[in-house]
Amino acid sequence: MIIVTGAAGFIGSGLISRLNQDGFKNIIAVDDFSKIEKAENLEGKIIKEKVERNALFEWLDANNRDVEFIFHIGARTDTTEFDKEIFDELNVNYSKGIWEKCVAYQIPLVYASSAATYGLGEHGYDDNESTIGQLKPLNPYGDSKNEFDKWALAQEKKPFFWAGLKFFNVYGPNEYHKGRMASVIFHAYNQINATEKMKLFRSHNPDFKDGEQMRDFIYVKDLIDVCIFFMHHRKNSGIYNLGSGKARTFKDLVTNTFLAMGKTPDISFIDTPADIRDKYQYFTQANMSKLRSVGYTRPFSSLEDGIDDYVKNYLSSKTYL
């Protein structure tokens, strides 16, 4: 059996789809299943059992001998939430509980960290474990992910294999429920559909022109490929970046969304909201050499190819992965 936490969410549900395609049917889906807006993400997926998030540890005590692998993808990911207690409970303490069960029962683990741990990028975007203690995330979400990374590295007892993956800006199918926290591509598609135009945040940094703020955007299918790689690889434990390795501008992103929709680009700019302006990242780019060094060879989708697939095969028909 393979456990996927955050199973009804954006990345977790896509991972289950891929596991099903690869012949894995004994999936234990873990989530807060009371949130009905995510239910469609699991329609048609082959799942052995649904386990409520709060019941997982008790379930593991009873069923650990049958568990082959855990993907801990579930987390509170709202970067606009500032209640630290929520993140302590759901992102830090819950993750510690999963880690400790993996140690006790010798279950290999892949968990989701985040590029939000890098803050403004003062120390670069290298997944060097010796510098993790120096990182300064910009919000409680990033703090919670960094706190767990630091805790994991400090543990004397570790699962026999574990990997923490720092997800950069992920986009792709199954994010329909995410609202404000969905990718810019998702919002661009909807805004262009409604108005034939797209508004982007103006730059308030003299080093960047309007629309030329840069992010490392990674297509969710590529991210899932890396998760599957580690499930089979099971060596070289540690913390890894997971982006495309190539920063692209928001202007590139929106222009390609227009083109995938068969429309002429029409982009204008609005001020970045004052409450997030001083914490706005102007550049992120994952150094992907560490992942490559342990044998991952698949190329990552270009922004053009990823957006084209997402728009034409998913967004235009609200299809799920």
Side-chain angles (χ1 to χ4, degrees), residues 85-117:
E85 287 186 8
I86 291 174
F87 291 108
D88 284 346
E89 177 192 349
L90 297 180
N91 292 6
V92 182
N93 295 332
Y94 192 82
S95 299
K96 288 179 180 179
I98 288 178
W99 177 282
E100 287 164 352
K101 294 298 182 188
C102 288
V103 169
Y105 301 131
Q106 284 300 288
I107 302 169
L109 170 69
V110 162
Y111 74 85
S113 182
S114 172
T117 56

CSV table of all heavy atoms in Angstrom, one decimal, residues 85-117:
chain,number,residue,atom,x,y,z
A,85,GLU,N,-0.2,29.2,14.8
A,85,GLU,CA,-0.7,28.0,15.5
A,85,GLU,C,-1.2,27.0,14.5
A,85,GLU,O,-1.0,25.8,14.6
A,85,GLU,CB,-1.8,28.3,16.5
A,85,GLU,CG,-1.2,28.9,17.8
A,85,GLU,CD,-2.2,29.1,18.9
A,85,GLU,OE1,-3.4,28.5,18.7
A,85,GLU,OE2,-1.9,29.7,19.9
A,86,ILE,N,-1.9,27.5,13.4
A,86,ILE,CA,-2.4,26.6,12.4
A,86,ILE,C,-1.3,25.9,11.7
A,86,ILE,O,-1.3,24.6,11.4
A,86,ILE,CB,-3.3,27.4,11.4
A,86,ILE,CG1,-4.6,27.8,12.0
A,86,ILE,CG2,-3.6,26.5,10.1
A,86,ILE,CD1,-5.4,28.8,11.1
A,87,PHE,N,-0.2,26.6,11.3
A,87,PHE,CA,0.9,26.0,10.7
A,87,PHE,C,1.7,25.1,11.6
A,87,PHE,O,2.2,24.0,11.1
A,87,PHE,CB,1.8,27.1,10.1
A,87,PHE,CG,1.2,27.9,9.0
A,87,PHE,CD1,0.8,29.2,9.1
A,87,PHE,CD2,1.0,27.3,7.7
A,87,PHE,CE1,0.2,29.9,8.1
A,87,PHE,CE2,0.4,28.0,6.7
A,87,PHE,CZ,0.0,29.3,6.9
A,88,ASP,N,1.8,25.5,12.8
A,88,ASP,CA,2.5,24.6,13.8
A,88,ASP,C,1.8,23.2,13.9
A,88,ASP,O,2.4,22.2,13.9
A,88,ASP,CB,2.5,25.2,15.2
A,88,ASP,CG,3.5,26.3,15.3
A,88,ASP,OD1,4.4,26.4,14.4
A,88,ASP,OD2,3.5,27.1,16.3
A,89,GLU,N,0.4,23.3,13.9
A,89,GLU,CA,-0.3,22.0,14.0
A,89,GLU,C,-0.3,21.2,12.7
A,89,GLU,O,0.1,20.0,12.8
A,89,GLU,CB,-1.8,22.3,14.4
A,89,GLU,CG,-2.7,21.1,14.4
A,89,GLU,CD,-4.2,21.4,14.5
A,89,GLU,OE1,-4.5,22.6,14.7
A,89,GLU,OE2,-5.0,20.5,14.3
A,90,LEU,N,-0.6,21.8,11.6
A,90,LEU,CA,-0.8,21.1,10.4
A,90,LEU,C,0.5,20.8,9.6
A,90,LEU,O,0.6,19.8,8.9
A,90,LEU,CB,-1.8,21.8,9.5
A,90,LEU,CG,-3.2,21.9,10.0
A,90,LEU,CD1,-4.1,22.7,9.0
A,90,LEU,CD2,-3.8,20.6,10.3
A,91,ASN,N,1.4,21.7,9.6
A,91,ASN,CA,2.6,21.6,8.8
A,91,ASN,C,3.9,21.1,9.6
A,91,ASN,O,4.7,20.3,9.1
A,91,ASN,CB,3.0,22.9,8.2
A,91,ASN,CG,2.0,23.3,7.1
A,91,ASN,OD1,1.0,22.7,6.9
A,91,ASN,ND2,2.2,24.4,6.4
A,92,VAL,N,4.0,21.5,10.8
A,92,VAL,CA,5.2,21.1,11.6
A,92,VAL,C,4.9,19.9,12.4
A,92,VAL,O,5.5,18.8,12.2
A,92,VAL,CB,5.7,22.3,12.5
A,92,VAL,CG1,7.0,21.9,13.2
A,92,VAL,CG2,6.0,23.5,11.7
A,93,ASN,N,4.0,20.0,13.4
A,93,ASN,CA,3.8,18.8,14.3
A,93,ASN,C,3.2,17.6,13.6
A,93,ASN,O,3.6,16.5,13.9
A,93,ASN,CB,2.9,19.3,15.4
A,93,ASN,CG,3.5,20.3,16.3
A,93,ASN,OD1,4.8,20.4,16.4
A,93,ASN,ND2,2.7,21.2,16.9
A,94,TYR,N,2.3,17.8,12.6
A,94,TYR,CA,1.8,16.6,11.9
A,94,TYR,C,2.9,16.0,11.1
A,94,TYR,O,3.0,14.7,11.1
A,94,TYR,CB,0.6,17.1,11.0
A,94,TYR,CG,-0.2,16.0,10.4
A,94,TYR,CD1,-1.2,15.4,11.1
A,94,TYR,CD2,0.1,15.5,9.1
A,94,TYR,CE1,-2.0,14.4,10.6
A,94,TYR,CE2,-0.7,14.5,8.6
A,94,TYR,CZ,-1.7,13.9,9.3
A,94,TYR,OH,-2.5,12.9,8.8
A,95,SER,N,3.7,16.8,10.5
A,95,SER,CA,4.9,16.2,9.7
A,95,SER,C,5.8,15.4,10.6
A,95,SER,O,6.4,14.4,10.3
A,95,SER,CB,5.6,17.3,9.0
A,95,SER,OG,4.7,17.9,8.0
A,96,LYS,N,6.1,16.0,11.8
A,96,LYS,CA,6.9,15.3,12.8
A,96,LYS,C,6.3,13.9,13.2
A,96,LYS,O,7.0,12.9,13.3
A,96,LYS,CB,7.1,16.1,14.1
A,96,LYS,CG,8.0,17.3,13.9
A,96,LYS,CD,8.1,18.1,15.2
A,96,LYS,CE,8.9,19.3,15.1
A,96,LYS,NZ,9.0,20.1,16.3
A,97,GLY,N,5.0,13.9,13.3
A,97,GLY,CA,4.3,12.6,13.6
A,97,GLY,C,4.5,11.6,12.5
A,97,GLY,O,4.8,10.4,12.8
A,98,ILE,N,4.4,12.0,11.3
A,98,ILE,CA,4.6,11.1,10.1
A,98,ILE,C,6.0,10.6,10.1
A,98,ILE,O,6.3,9.4,9.9
A,98,ILE,CB,4.2,11.8,8.8
A,98,ILE,CG1,2.7,11.9,8.7
A,98,ILE,CG2,4.7,11.0,7.6
A,98,ILE,CD1,2.2,12.7,7.5
A,99,TRP,N,7.0,11.5,10.3
A,99,TRP,CA,8.4,11.1,10.3
A,99,TRP,C,8.6,10.1,11.4
A,99,TRP,O,9.3,9.0,11.1
A,99,TRP,CB,9.2,12.4,10.6
A,99,TRP,CG,10.7,12.2,10.7
A,99,TRP,CD1,11.4,11.7,11.8
A,99,TRP,CD2,11.7,12.5,9.7
A,99,TRP,NE1,12.7,11.7,11.6
A,99,TRP,CE2,12.9,12.2,10.3
A,99,TRP,CE3,11.6,13.0,8.5
A,99,TRP,CZ2,14.1,12.4,9.6
A,99,TRP,CZ3,12.8,13.2,7.8
A,99,TRP,CH2,14.1,12.9,8.3
A,100,GLU,N,8.1,10.3,12.6
A,100,GLU,CA,8.4,9.4,13.7
A,100,GLU,C,7.7,8.0,13.4
A,100,GLU,O,8.3,7.0,13.8
A,100,GLU,CB,7.8,10.0,15.0
A,100,GLU,CG,8.8,11.1,15.5
A,100,GLU,CD,8.1,12.0,16.5
A,100,GLU,OE1,6.9,11.9,16.8
A,100,GLU,OE2,8.9,12.9,17.0
A,101,LYS,N,6.6,7.9,12.7
A,101,LYS,CA,6.0,6.7,12.4
A,101,LYS,C,6.9,6.0,11.3
A,101,LYS,O,7.0,4.7,11.3
A,101,LYS,CB,4.6,6.8,11.8
A,101,LYS,CG,3.6,7.3,12.9
A,101,LYS,CD,3.4,6.4,14.0
A,101,LYS,CE,2.3,6.9,15.0
A,101,LYS,NZ,2.2,6.1,16.2
A,102,CYS,N,7.4,6.8,10.4
A,102,CYS,CA,8.3,6.2,9.3
A,102,CYS,C,9.5,5.6,9.9
A,102,CYS,O,10.1,4.6,9.5
A,102,CYS,CB,8.6,7.2,8.3
A,102,CYS,SG,7.2,7.6,7.2
A,103,VAL,N,10.1,6.3,11.0
A,103,VAL,CA,11.2,5.7,11.7
A,103,VAL,C,10.9,4.4,12.4
A,103,VAL,O,11.6,3.4,12.3
A,103,VAL,CB,11.8,6.8,12.7
A,103,VAL,CG1,12.8,6.1,13.6
A,103,VAL,CG2,12.4,8.0,11.9
A,104,ALA,N,9.8,4.5,13.1
A,104,ALA,CA,9.4,3.3,14.0
A,104,ALA,C,9.1,2.1,13.1
A,104,ALA,O,9.4,1.0,13.5
A,104,ALA,CB,8.1,3.7,14.8
A,105,TYR,N,8.4,2.3,12.0
A,105,TYR,CA,8.0,1.2,11.1
A,105,TYR,C,8.8,1.0,9.9
A,105,TYR,O,8.5,0.2,9.0
A,105,TYR,CB,6.5,1.4,10.8
A,105,TYR,CG,5.6,1.5,12.0
A,105,TYR,CD1,4.7,2.5,12.1
A,105,TYR,CD2,5.7,0.6,13.0
A,105,TYR,CE1,3.8,2.6,13.2
A,105,TYR,CE2,4.9,0.6,14.1
A,105,TYR,CZ,3.9,1.7,14.2
A,105,TYR,OH,3.1,1.8,15.3
A,106,GLN,N,9.9,1.7,9.7
A,106,GLN,CA,10.9,1.6,8.6
A,106,GLN,C,10.1,1.8,7.3
A,106,GLN,O,10.2,0.9,6.4
A,106,GLN,CB,11.7,0.3,8.7
A,106,GLN,CG,12.8,0.4,9.7
A,106,GLN,CD,13.8,1.5,9.4
A,106,GLN,OE1,14.6,1.4,8.5
A,106,GLN,NE2,13.7,2.6,10.2
A,107,ILE,N,9.4,2.9,7.1
A,107,ILE,CA,8.7,3.2,5.9
A,107,ILE,C,9.4,4.3,5.2
A,107,ILE,O,9.7,5.4,5.8
A,107,ILE,CB,7.3,3.6,6.2
A,107,ILE,CG1,6.5,2.5,6.9
A,107,ILE,CG2,6.5,4.0,4.9
A,107,ILE,CD1,5.2,2.9,7.5
A,108,PRO,N,9.8,4.2,3.9
A,108,PRO,CA,10.4,5.3,3.2
A,108,PRO,C,9.4,6.5,3.0
A,108,PRO,O,8.2,6.3,2.9
A,108,PRO,CB,10.9,4.7,1.9
A,108,PRO,CG,10.0,3.5,1.7
A,108,PRO,CD,9.6,3.0,3.1
A,109,LEU,N,10.0,7.7,3.0
A,109,LEU,CA,9.1,8.9,3.0
A,109,LEU,C,9.6,9.9,2.0
A,109,LEU,O,10.8,10.3,1.9
A,109,LEU,CB,9.2,9.5,4.4
A,109,LEU,CG,8.6,10.9,4.6
A,109,LEU,CD1,7.1,10.9,4.5
A,109,LEU,CD2,9.0,11.5,6.0
A,110,VAL,N,8.7,10.5,1.2
A,110,VAL,CA,8.9,11.7,0.5
A,110,VAL,C,7.9,12.8,1.0
A,110,VAL,O,6.7,12.5,1.1
A,110,VAL,CB,8.7,11.5,-1.1
A,110,VAL,CG1,8.5,12.9,-1.7
A,110,VAL,CG2,9.9,10.8,-1.7
A,111,TYR,N,8.4,13.9,1.4
A,111,TYR,CA,7.5,15.0,1.9
A,111,TYR,C,7.7,16.3,1.1
A,111,TYR,O,8.8,16.5,0.5
A,111,TYR,CB,7.7,15.2,3.4
A,111,TYR,CG,8.9,15.9,3.8
A,111,TYR,CD1,9.0,17.3,3.8
A,111,TYR,CD2,10.1,15.2,4.2
A,111,TYR,CE1,10.1,18.0,4.2
A,111,TYR,CE2,11.2,15.9,4.6
A,111,TYR,CZ,11.2,17.3,4.6
A,111,TYR,OH,12.4,18.0,5.0
A,112,ALA,N,6.7,17.1,1.1
A,112,ALA,CA,6.7,18.3,0.4
A,112,ALA,C,7.2,19.5,1.3
A,112,ALA,O,6.6,19.8,2.3
A,112,ALA,CB,5.3,18.7,-0.1
A,113,SER,N,8.3,20.0,0.8
A,113,SER,CA,8.8,21.3,1.4
A,113,SER,C,8.4,22.4,0.4
A,113,SER,O,7.5,22.2,-0.4
A,113,SER,CB,10.3,21.2,1.7
A,113,SER,OG,10.7,22.5,2.3
A,114,SER,N,9.1,23.5,0.4
A,114,SER,CA,8.6,24.6,-0.4
A,114,SER,C,9.8,25.6,-0.7
A,114,SER,O,10.6,25.8,0.1
A,114,SER,CB,7.5,25.3,0.2
A,114,SER,OG,7.2,26.5,-0.5
A,115,ALA,N,9.7,26.2,-1.9
A,115,ALA,CA,10.7,27.3,-2.2
A,115,ALA,C,10.4,28.5,-1.4
A,115,ALA,O,11.2,29.4,-1.3
A,115,ALA,CB,10.6,27.6,-3.7
A,116,ALA,N,9.2,28.5,-0.7
A,116,ALA,CA,8.9,29.7,0.2
A,116,ALA,C,9.9,29.7,1.3
A,116,ALA,O,10.0,30.8,1.9
A,116,ALA,CB,7.5,29.5,0.7
A,117,THR,N,10.6,28.7,1.6
A,117,THR,CA,11.7,28.7,2.6
A,117,THR,C,12.8,29.6,2.3
A,117,THR,O,13.5,30.1,3.2
A,117,THR,CB,12.3,27.3,2.8
A,117,THR,OG1,12.8,26.8,1.5
A,117,THR,CG2,11.2,26.3,3.3
